[in-house]
Amino acid sequence: MKRIELTVENAKPVTLEKFLTGEKGVSRRLLTRLKRCEGGITRNGELIRSIDEVRQGDVIVLSLADDSFLEPNGSLNVPIAFENDRLVVFDKPSGMPVHPSIRHQGDTLGNYFAHLYPELTFRSVNRLDRDTSGLCVIAKDALAAKLLQGSCKKVYYAAVHGTIPESGTIDAPIARERESIILRCVREDGQRAVTHYKRLQCNGRYSLAEIELETGRTHQIRVHFAHTGAPLAGDDLYGGLRDDINRQALHCGRISFNDPLTGESITVSSEIPEDIRSLFTQEEK
């Protein structure tokens, strides 16, 4: 059981439903699930209905069932780049989360997997941000997941602002921003993080980088390039501009691993999406 604790901060009383869906981004699909779950929503330790009012200082706790069961959604469509009896590699589009969250219930890669493989548990081996596109490996059983974990070699492609060197390594520790649960930053007391890159293309406005990670920190590519003064195009969370693309220009374009059963070396590739490629077909501004 997963617990999410939320504190009511607004001075004016509102209904629980308005607080959750209007202020905290809880989807109505999730709210419905919580209402059907025994002890799904409590206020200050007591059960509460969605029509009841909440007031400043109230502590609302959402108790979510294990994500091992995901609601199937066959209306989604995610291309399969590779598949065998032990795993499947999806070519995830930007804008789609991998796992359900408080804001996303039913529209994730996990929900599409549940539609395709209703008898299997969703076990993602590598995780991509919602707006990062590209290859995502899902194991079909626990053993395959264990053997694949940490063994996949990934190559990313990113369009960054300005002209970067032909190649380089960014070695800078990454930590959580003290006032945020989302943002990361370069800070001396952070975890070691190393990013290797080479420049493939440049038009003065943007550079296209091929990137390999020596470590795998949250938002590592985005944080590292922002730290060097070349944030990803479209990545407004870390200083990128959305003049020409409306999401961070980051794509997982190649992934290599050994088959967990046979040991065979497998490499899967995905083309750089049009929204990133178009940044290099525009006239220089």
Side-chain angles (χ1 to χ4, degrees), residues 7-10 12-15 17-26 54 103:
T7 301
V8 181
E9 297 175 350
N10 50 307
K12 184 179 179 181
V14 294
T15 65
E17 180 173 355
K18 185 174 181 180
F19 169 69
L20 292 176
T21 62
E23 298 181 24
K24 295 301 179 180
V26 174
V54 296
R103 294 177 182 271

Side-chain angles (χ1 to χ4, degrees), residues 40-238:
I41 313 175
T42 62
R43 175 185 58 192
N44 304 326
E46 298 182 356
L47 292 176
I48 182 174
R49 301 171 301 171
S50 60
I51 60 173
D52 293 337
E53 287 191 338
V54 296
R55 292 173 168 75
Q56 188 175 35
D58 284 345
V59 177
I60 309 301
V61 175
L62 312 181
S63 297
L64 306 176
D66 194 319
D67 286 340
S68 59
F69 173 78
L70 298 173
E71 183 177 350
N73 188 347
S75 68
L76 304 172
N77 184 21
V78 187
I80 293 176
F82 176 84
E83 182 177 15
N84 63 23
D85 291 340
R86 293 158 293 281
L87 59 95
V88 56
V89 183
F90 289 101
D91 196 350
K92 186 186 81 68
S94 64
M96 175 181 284
V98 173
H99 293 278
S101 67
I102 193 170
R103 294 177 182 271
H104 293 275
Q105 294 283 319
D107 60 349
T108 72
L109 182 59
N111 298 111
Y112 185 59
F113 179 91
H115 163 70
L116 294 180
Y117 313 97
E119 75 285 2
L120 300 181
T121 298
F122 184 65
R123 295 180 171 93
S124 62
V125 176
N126 67 308
R127 186 168 182 167
L128 301 178
D129 292 338
R130 182 187 67 189
D131 287 339
T132 298
S133 57
L135 301 171
C136 192
V137 181
I138 311 300
K140 292 183 176 180
D141 59 70
L143 178 59
K146 181 178 179 180
L147 294 174
L148 287 165
Q149 200 67 49
S151 66
C152 295
K153 183 178 181 182
K154 300 174 286 291
V155 176
Y156 293 86
Y157 296 90
V160 304
H161 284 281
T163 301
I164 60 174
E166 290 186 0
S167 63
T169 293
I170 307 170
D171 187 343
I174 291 178
R176 186 194 299 271
E177 279 280 11
R178 292 187 174 91
E179 302 302 321
S180 174
I181 61 172
I182 298 173
L183 284 170
R184 301 299 193 271
C185 64
V186 169
R187 204 171 62 225
E188 288 185 1
D189 64 342
Q191 293 180 299
R192 183 170 183 263
V194 181
T195 301
H196 305 286
Y197 70 89
K198 62 180 178 180
R199 191 185 71 204
L200 300 181
Q201 199 171 344
C202 183
N203 63 4
R205 184 173 177 83
Y206 300 110
S207 295
L208 180 65
E210 182 180 87
I211 301 161
E212 295 188 44
L213 301 180
E214 189 173 317
T215 56
R217 310 303 178 200
T218 299
H219 294 180
Q220 179 171 321
I221 293 172
R222 301 165 65 184
V223 172
H224 268 176
F225 279 94
H227 177 66
T228 66
L232 272 61
D235 190 4
D236 54 0
L237 189 65
Y238 290 106

